Amino acid sequence: MSALKRLDPYLGKVITAFEGGIVTRVIDHPHDSNRVFAYEVTFHLRHPRVAAVAAQKPPLHFHPYQEEYIEVLEGRLAVEVEGVEYVLSPQDGEFSLRPWCNHRLYSPVTDVEEGVKGYDDGWDGEKTVFLLSGQDTDEMFRLDTVFFENWYAYQDLIVVEGQKVDLVQVMSMFDAGGSYLSLPTWIPFSRTIARGLGIVVGRWIGGLLGYQPFFRQWTTDWDLACQKMERSIFHRRFAVRERAENRALLRFAS
């Protein structure tokens, strides 16, 4: 069990993104209390912010240190694993994503009105609800709520406020969340190279250039975020516990 296991200050917190189009509620996992995080996630598929990006798949990525688990409670969810798409429903139970597997998840319908016609169980396409959880690990840079809270907030800057994607910022956040952008699988040792790039570009070069993975304004458990950043000489200067304006957010100002 991870040394970081403690009373979760996020328990019961609701994190919203895309102006309410995606709602994530932090819960205790109903079957396994040892999961390092557990969320009930709702995609409101008819929400204009969600509908506007429905045809855009998120980037393929992988997690070297943790197994991730998905269980659909309502509706449908597409999970792509190593190029194969699985459309999950409540009848499928829990779906596991092994460490190092390239994957992404998204709605299987890009046009709700037309897409739901392919399902004969009465699903109206209004929303998809699923449990998302992850294996515990002693790694400090890992998937947890500190990462997801900041990642959702950064996505809001892109989708809602129209900011351009900064690849170094994405790699910085992903590395701190134990996640790495996938490279084409035909490249030899693609996962090892991708992880190395994530560390070198996201953590080392990004840290030297002033990119930080977590931001006070976006983080509920700032003390834990600081503990994480203090573990890296490239992030240590961002771990300022005194309450003050986080000037790094000026990077995202329009």
Side-chain angles (χ1 to χ4, degrees):
M1 185 181 295
S2 169
L4 290 178
K5 193 72 173 179
R6 61 193 177 109
L7 182 65
D8 187 355
Y10 286 101
L11 190 62
K13 182 178 177 64
V14 176
I15 304 169
T16 61
F18 293 18
E19 296 184 322
I22 299 176
V23 178
T24 300
R25 184 166 62 92
V26 184
I27 63 172
D28 274 328
H29 195 275
H31 313 305
D32 187 350
S33 61
N34 290 322
R35 303 280 170 93
V36 72
F37 66 86
Y39 311 130
E40 182 185 88
V41 184
T42 302
F43 289 172
H44 293 282
L45 302 179
R46 298 178 190 269
H47 190 286
R49 289 293 186 186
V50 176
V53 297
Q56 303 173 30
K57 294 182 180 180
L60 278 168
H61 62 283
F62 62 91
H63 316 295
Y65 317 120
Q66 292 163 278
E67 190 164 5
E68 201 172 10
Y69 310 95
I70 299 165
E71 183 176 354
V72 175
L73 304 178
E74 179 180 344
R76 298 291 190 280
L77 183 70
V79 182
E80 182 182 329
V81 183
E82 303 297 354
V84 178
E85 183 182 82
Y86 303 87
V87 178
L88 305 181
S89 73
Q91 287 71 43
D92 292 310
E94 187 172 81
F95 186 89
S96 298
L97 295 166
R98 301 290 296 173
W100 293 97
C101 75
N102 297 307
H103 67 277
R104 55 185 164 192
L105 54 112
Y106 46 89
S107 170
V109 296
T110 55
D111 183 321
V112 174
E113 298 298 338
E114 290 298 319
V116 297
K117 293 179 180 179
Y119 303 104
D120 58 4
D121 59 356
W123 180 47
D124 61 4
E126 187 68 30
K127 62 183 179 180
T128 290
V129 183
F130 61 98
L131 296 181
L132 178 68
S133 61
Q135 175 187 16
D136 203 352
T137 174
D138 287 325
E139 292 287 338
M140 181 64 78
F141 286 176
R142 64 183 187 176
L143 284 175
D144 61 12
T145 311
V146 174
F147 163 73
F148 280 109
E149 194 173 33
N150 280 266
W151 177 237
Y152 274 137
Y154 182 66
Q155 288 185 89
D156 264 358
L157 289 181
I158 308 303
V159 174
V160 177
E161 299 185 23
Q163 298 285 331
K164 292 183 178 180
V165 176
D166 187 326
L167 184 58
V168 178
Q169 184 62 58
V170 171
M171 294 176 78
S172 173
M173 287 180 155
F174 266 42
D175 171 57
S179 307
Y180 300 94
L181 298 173
S182 301
L183 294 174
T185 55
W186 52 263
I187 297 176
F189 310 107
S190 60
R191 292 171 179 81
T192 302
I193 294 171
R195 179 176 175 271
L197 282 173
I199 293 172
V200 172
V201 176
R203 190 185 313 176
W204 299 355
I205 296 175
L208 291 173
L209 293 177
Y211 288 85
Q212 64 187 80
F214 310 123
F215 298 86
R216 180 189 290 276
Q217 286 88 336
W218 295 343
T219 308
T220 298
D221 192 349
W222 183 243
D223 184 65
L224 179 56
C226 287
Q227 288 181 45
K228 292 170 176 287
M229 292 188 289
E230 286 167 348
R231 294 287 291 271
S232 167
I233 61 172
F234 299 97
H235 292 159
R236 199 167 294 158
R237 63 190 171 113
F238 306 126
V240 179
R241 286 179 167 79
E242 294 79 12
R243 185 164 294 281
E245 181 180 1
N246 192 337
R247 296 181 181 275
L249 275 180
L250 294 176
R251 170 191 309 282
F252 305 124
S254 56

